[in-house]
Amino acid sequence: MTSPTPPRARTGQAPEPLERAAFRERFLLDFQDPRFADEAGDALDRIEAIAWRNYDDNRKAPRTRKAGPGYADPDYDLSVDWLEAKERIDAARARWADPASPSRVLLVCGSARNDGTCPGEISKSWRMLNMARDVLAAEHIEIDLLDLSRVTSDYGRHIHPCKGCVSTAMPLCHFPCSCYPNHAMRQTGDWMNEIYERWTAAHGVMIITPVYWYQSPSPLKLMIDRLVCADGGNPDPTSTHGKKSAEAKALELAGWGYPKHLEGRTYALAVHGDVAGIEMTRRGLSDWLDWMGFIDAGPAARLDRYIGYYESYAQSHEVLDRDAAMQAEIRGAAQALAVAVGELRAGTLSRPDAGVRRARPK
């Protein structure tokens, strides 16, 4: 039986590339500070001219090497950035699978607020994350703190948005993501390759996050979108020769396995707000983690709570100080996660649907 002809890629949405003058104007936006004035002649002109050439040539990956053995096309030139990220993820997976390795939990702070930038004050999520850390440390669990607020306060740190490659064809979505860095477009400083490695190394994950306008904060949502490649993504970019949509469509139509690169881990959640949106946000996060093949640590580890319901923002930390029950629930969720991690690694964590094959994988 022959595979169906892949449908054609639909085009016509993207704007035309920038003209030379428009590119220069946009490039120089980073150099408006008067301190750059002394370099505004030859030095900046030379750098801008190189940047224009790279943009005009679509020089996405300036450093490449042959993929080598183990890839569908060993002679294909893969980005060194991607290959190095893949090697680190493979090493993290080996540590995760090693029964002699210490148990490890990734604690994720979803708030965009910290005292190193405009708000001038730490987030309540960060405080609660440290409550959880104390519990896990007492259980001799190795802890990795991922504070997503660093996107707002660290120089040059980004989580670039997902480009939706998966919606063209799942095999076009590479794991780890190959969309970034894109040096031609100055889409660099991407944090995700490190974040993929940290998720891979974890036996358990706990996310503590506020609600921003009925939804997850933008740094958390950016990370979630970029983790799509960990659920069904293609670990071999040579099989699609980079971003060849026709090849990716053909692979998917021939039968794609949708590999779950992060399944078999356990999780806890704590979502907090002050007015509305906590339940839908917590359900969305729970459903997402369930879909990826994570196992929840029980009802006590899936919290949605209000802190200072309709009270002043200015006193929210003081309200948390007084809310001993909320603090106890955070510690309880961390304790449940610690137990779940222990059972997971011992092979006794119950997952009744483990043997049920998905009728419609995606």
Side-chain angles (χ1 to χ4, degrees):
M1 180 177 177
T2 59
S3 299
T5 302
R8 65 177 177 83
R10 311 299 177 94
T11 60
Q13 178 181 352
E16 292 296 318
L18 294 175
E19 298 291 341
R20 182 71 177 86
F23 175 88
R24 178 177 174 83
E25 180 180 359
R26 192 168 298 180
F27 176 86
L28 292 175
L29 288 174
D30 280 351
F31 305 99
Q32 299 300 302
D33 190 308
R35 289 186 173 183
F36 288 108
D38 291 342
E39 303 297 334
D42 292 345
L44 272 181
D45 285 345
R46 289 195 299 270
I47 296 297
E48 187 272 339
I50 295 170
W52 163 254
R53 284 175 54 205
N54 291 346
Y55 172 80
D56 196 40
D57 293 341
N58 193 27
R59 193 172 165 84
K60 176 185 175 182
R63 298 185 306 136
T64 62
R65 68 171 186 255
K66 300 297 182 186
Y71 288 92
D73 184 353
D75 290 327
Y76 184 77
D77 292 322
L78 276 179
S79 163
V80 170
D81 292 311
W82 188 89
L83 284 165
E84 290 176 348
K86 179 67 162 54
E87 289 167 3
R88 292 194 302 271
I89 288 169
D90 288 345
R93 183 177 290 109
R95 294 195 303 273
W96 169 80
D98 182 357
S101 69
S103 293
R104 184 179 180 86
V105 165
L106 179 66
L107 290 175
V108 181
C109 179
S111 175
R113 177 165 68 130
N114 71 41
D115 54 328
T117 185
C118 308
E121 185 175 49
I122 63 174
S123 67
K124 295 183 291 297
S125 297
W126 177 250
R127 290 182 57 192
M128 290 186 279
L129 202 78
N130 281 282
M131 296 173 195
R133 177 175 63 174
D134 292 343
V135 170
L136 294 166
E139 298 294 331
H140 308 290
I141 291 175
E142 193 174 277
I143 300 156
D144 182 9
L145 266 63
L146 175 56
D147 182 6
L148 295 176
S149 74
R150 293 177 62 185
V151 169
T152 70
S153 64
D154 283 11
Y155 179 82
R157 186 181 295 278
H158 305 285
I159 298 177
H160 292 293
C162 176
K163 296 179 180 179
C165 296
V166 63
S167 293
T168 292
M170 189 77 242
L172 200 64
C173 182
H174 302 142
F175 180 70
C177 176
S178 65
C179 293
Y180 304 101
N182 185 329
H183 294 271
M185 299 294 289
R186 199 164 43 171
Q187 293 171 339
T188 57
D190 186 58
W191 199 8
M192 281 306 299
N193 280 343
E194 178 188 322
I195 290 173
Y196 293 134
E197 179 185 357
R198 293 166 73 171
W199 275 78
T200 302
H203 300 98
V205 174
M206 184 171 186
I207 299 173
I208 301 180
T209 183
V211 171
Y212 286 3
W213 277 119
Y214 292 85
Q215 302 290 338
S216 297
S218 51
L220 177 58
K221 187 58 169 66
L222 284 166
M223 180 188 71
I224 289 170
D225 286 351
R226 292 287 302 284
L227 278 164
V228 67
C229 62
D231 192 78
N234 183 358
D236 184 358
T238 74
S239 66
T240 57
H241 293 96
K243 294 291 185 174
K244 302 293 186 185
S245 60
E247 295 183 24
K249 286 174 182 284
L251 275 177
E252 186 172 46
L253 290 173
W256 187 251
Y258 301 95
K260 291 186 169 293
H261 299 288
L262 292 177
E263 71 176 344
R265 291 158 176 81
T266 184
Y267 75 89
L269 287 172
V271 177
H272 63 94
D274 64 349
V275 174
I278 58 171
E279 291 179 352
M280 67 179 76
T281 301
R282 193 268 304 157
R283 281 197 296 267
L285 291 171
S286 293
D287 288 353
W288 164 61
L289 289 162
D290 292 343
W291 183 274
M292 288 209 300
F294 279 63
I295 309 163
D296 70 76
R302 300 193 308 272
L303 304 175
D304 46 68
R305 299 290 185 268
Y306 289 113
I307 300 173
Y309 186 68
Y310 269 98
E311 295 187 48
S312 166
Y313 291 114
Q315 296 176 304
S316 63
H317 274 287
E318 285 71 22
V319 173
L320 178 58
D321 289 340
R322 297 192 298 268
D323 197 339
M326 179 66 184
Q327 296 179 38
E329 285 182 308
I330 291 294
R331 295 187 178 96
Q335 185 64 55
L337 182 62
V339 172
V341 166
E343 292 182 356
L344 176 77
R345 304 206 71 196
T348 59
L349 184 61
S350 176
R351 186 175 178 181
D353 65 347
V356 178
R357 180 181 175 274
R358 283 196 176 187
R360 293 183 291 181
K362 191 174 183 181

